[in-house]
Amino acid sequence: MYDQTRAQQPSDQDQRRTERRPAAPEALLPSAERDAVVDRLRRAINAFPDAPLDALEEAEGAFDDAVNHLANALAERRRALHDSWQDQDPEAHAEELRLALRQYREVTQRLIRM
């Protein structure tokens, strides 16, 4: 028989899904840099009807800024990861090495999914 009260309660499966949900990955760019690029792109979009060529130049500049910020952030991330395992003894610090490998994998997968 149909139990309306039970049907309105969240299922145990829904609760398990939220409990296992992984944390959001760390942003590759600091929020100030992201916000500056987004604002610049928004200005370009808004300017397009009145000045299409100027808007395209502004959008290109926003794209270039994003690429430069991202390249710098990735170089810093790579440097930090490399420093975390470079002089480690593989036998004594297997867990630290495993963590570094996982971080390389996560960042690389994020890049290729873009």
Side-chain angles (χ1 to χ4, degrees):
M1 178 169 245
Y2 180 76
D3 184 352
Q4 185 175 2
T5 305
R6 184 171 181 194
Q8 292 174 347
Q9 295 175 348
S11 71
D12 291 341
Q13 187 176 22
D14 290 340
Q15 290 172 350
R16 282 191 302 264
R17 263 191 232 136
T18 41
E19 290 170 3
R20 286 186 285 182
R21 189 171 293 156
E26 181 182 334
L28 293 174
L29 293 180
S31 61
E33 291 174 358
R34 257 192 342 263
D35 292 347
V37 170
V38 169
D39 287 344
R40 193 168 180 191
L41 189 56
R42 190 174 294 125
R43 283 195 307 272
I45 292 167
N46 290 334
F48 185 80
D50 297 326
L53 291 177
D54 291 341
L56 288 172
E57 288 175 2
E58 184 71 15
E60 183 178 49
F63 179 85
D64 291 343
D65 284 351
V67 168
N68 290 330
H69 290 313
L70 186 58
N72 291 336
L74 288 170
E76 180 56 37
R77 178 79 55 96
R78 182 197 181 283
R79 199 170 16 261
L81 276 170
H82 183 79
D83 290 348
S84 75
W85 64 264
Q86 180 181 14
D87 295 324
Q88 297 285 337
D89 174 17
E91 298 297 322
H93 300 286
E95 188 57 36
E96 287 86 358
L97 297 175
R98 192 177 352 270
L99 177 61
L101 178 60
R102 189 175 82 206
Q103 290 173 345
Y104 276 120
R105 182 193 70 205
E106 288 171 358
V107 171
T108 303
Q109 287 176 334
R110 287 174 63 197
L111 285 171
I112 60 177
R113 276 186 253 145
M114 294 177 127

